[in-house]
Amino acid sequence: MQDIKIKSVRFDESEVQSLVAENLRDLSERYGGTGDDTPITADDFAAPNGDFLVAVADGELIASAGWRRHGDDAELKRMFTTQTARGRGVARRMLAAIEDSARDAGCRRMILETGDRQPEAIALYESAGYVRVDNFGYYKDHPDVLSYGKSLLPDFAG
């Protein structure tokens, strides 16, 4: 596998927004509509209340993941791996990096929403120790939404 660098970036950078647009197209193909209407701003991912990471290989952005503070929790947003980078462990590396970022900022748990038409995402989260939690957030009342959580600190069982 080629060298992959994971780095923190501004969410509103044009190259990052191109990757986010690819993510939304993927979601739109799975669910219809615009893919995800959750209100998000660049400030959501600004320290100390968030971070946005990308994976870069051969000068190209191949994956993204961000978190934003949700009380004592970090909410995972815009987790995405490009089609050409899938199946090579990039998503697992991104998930570990975004968990580290949130943990370093003092968050106790990572929470996320995903959908029932994303079996590869569900498999990744469950294999990484995420368990179902009560639905929350923008899509909490949608029937195809699945919410997950994982403790980021060893002394927290939530």
Side-chain angles (χ1 to χ4, degrees):
M1 177 158 73
Q2 73 234 28
D3 283 340
I4 295 172
K5 179 180 178 184
I6 297 175
K7 64 181 185 174
S8 182
V9 296
R10 284 201 42 89
F11 181 71
D12 56 2
E13 291 178 17
S14 61
E15 189 177 24
V16 173
Q17 284 301 298
S18 293
L19 185 61
V20 169
E22 187 176 343
N23 178 358
L24 294 176
R25 282 191 299 275
D26 179 74
L27 292 172
S28 180
E29 289 173 9
R30 294 172 193 251
Y31 299 100
T34 61
D36 184 352
D37 295 324
T38 305
I40 290 178
T41 69
D43 288 342
D44 289 341
F45 302 111
N49 293 315
D51 196 6
F52 200 83
L53 305 179
V54 294
V56 182
D58 297 327
E60 299 289 323
L61 301 188
I62 60 169
S64 67
W67 69 268
R68 61 184 181 177
R69 196 167 298 276
H70 191 89
D72 287 338
D73 297 336
E75 179 186 9
L76 179 67
K77 296 301 297 178
R78 299 297 182 251
M79 178 82 179
F80 178 70
T81 304
T82 62
Q83 191 70 29
T84 58
R86 292 179 186 167
R88 300 190 330 226
V90 176
R92 189 165 301 280
R93 286 182 60 190
M94 287 297 296
L95 186 58
I98 205 70
E99 289 173 353
D100 287 344
S101 172
R103 184 181 302 108
D104 290 348
C107 295
R108 300 177 65 77
R109 182 174 69 150
M110 182 72 73
I111 57 175
L112 64 93
E113 294 176 308
T114 192
D116 61 4
R117 297 181 198 157
Q118 295 169 263
E120 64 284 346
I122 294 166
L124 170 67
Y125 298 137
E126 289 179 348
S127 72
Y130 285 77
V131 296
R132 290 292 306 276
V133 297
D134 290 339
N135 285 346
F136 68 94
Y138 189 77
Y139 288 104
K140 72 178 179 180
D141 295 323
H142 288 225
D144 56 356
V145 167
L146 306 171
S147 294
Y148 285 86
K150 176 184 176 181
S151 174
L152 296 176
L153 302 176
D155 66 335
F156 185 66

